[in-house]
Amino acid sequence: MADIPNLRSLTADEFTTSFQALGQPAYRSAQILDWLWKKRVSSIDEMSNLPVSLRETLKEKYELSAPTIVRAQGSKDTTRKLLLKLKDGRFVECVLIPASPALYGEQSDRLTLCVSSQVGCAFACKFCASGLLGFTRNLTPGEITAQILLAEELAGTRVNNLVFMGMGEPLANLPNLLKAIELITSPEGLHIGARHLTISTSGLVPQIKKLADHPRQIRLAISLHGATDEVRSKIMPVNDRWGVDELFEALRYWNSKKKQHLTLEYILIKGINDDLEQARILAKRAKAIRAKVNLIPYNTVEGLPWERPSEDHCRAFRDILKNSGISATLRLEKGHDIDAACGQLRLREETNSE
């Protein structure tokens, strides 16, 4: 990719510093931020209240390219999955998820976007299509935030809840992720409250602790998928580096720094991690860190041999948690019919084009 920075990767402070260096008045920074995040222009030439000479200077120093939507699966009233093409020809995905009436009521305006942070993934979680082609590169802050702009344009309404659990491991791209979060939460940017942002990680212990020390009250979800090392290592190679006990020590540190409850994500895979004894152990672990548990029956990935358990078995697993006093939800159907597992659309597009 070209080394020229994207304007939508710059924070308000960076704009101020850049404009001071160019000998421009401070108010120019506010004008450009308004064009970028409120008016959402697609080119520097559209910034009509800037002098022509300044626009030419900006075009020399910056770009304003954005991903394009290649494909959208689903409908307005259901989960919609978007395949986006980046400037370098690579693909990423994001997913629009409307509010569930059962959880939020019929009149809820909650609209969640599942955001990608990398092209591909190096962590090779066994249930996930994102890592099947390996890791390509990190997304820039501008590419992360562009997913929100494109999703809002498609939906015709504001996205008010973000989960960083699309393609890639967010904490492996922590500097760009934190910069994107500054753009997302800033009043000059998208102005989405930090409490409406959730970062999902496969369990990068040092980065969890670093994020715990960050001042924003961001929510954290852990892709756990196994309550013991024996089971989790079958699914999550990262567990061989940071085992379950070390991970939960980091989560206790998180709790000492943050107010929001943790969420443990647990994909139920038939015959792999759905034994009811795992539910009992999971209940004890969740209670120790005051965590909620989100159970997700496995979404079939082409080329992988695993299956989802029966609905009755999923409910039995959930009920063990609930009967132990754990807040547990079971997401039986959210996008199973639109290649919902992370990276499936990208996998199909890139393998078909090679």
Side-chain angles (χ1 to χ4, degrees), residues 1 85-91 119 136-137 143:
M1 291 182 69
K85 188 174 184 178
L86 305 173
K87 183 185 176 184
D88 63 355
R90 295 296 185 177
F91 297 90
V119 181
T136 302
R137 67 174 177 86
E143 289 170 330

Side-chain angles (χ1 to χ4, degrees), residues 27-99:
Y27 68 84
R28 292 294 186 204
S29 173
Q31 286 178 320
I32 294 179
L33 287 167
D34 183 66
W35 282 113
L36 293 173
W37 300 109
K38 303 302 186 287
K39 298 184 176 72
R40 301 186 179 187
V41 296
S42 58
S43 75
I44 292 171
D45 283 328
E46 294 177 68
M47 301 178 182
S48 55
N49 60 352
L50 302 183
V52 173
S53 59
L54 177 55
R55 279 180 264 166
E56 292 302 318
T57 299
L58 290 175
K59 285 190 286 185
E60 290 173 7
K61 294 180 174 293
Y62 303 102
E63 65 167 7
L64 194 52
S65 63
T68 56
I69 298 176
V70 175
R71 190 176 311 152
Q73 290 185 198
S75 64
K76 184 174 182 179
D77 298 326
T78 62
T79 297
R80 282 185 286 178
K81 191 165 194 176
L82 313 181
L83 179 68
L84 309 180
K85 188 174 184 178
L86 305 173
K87 183 185 176 184
D88 63 355
R90 295 296 185 177
F91 297 90
V92 294
E93 301 171 4
C94 58
V95 183
L96 270 168
I97 308 169

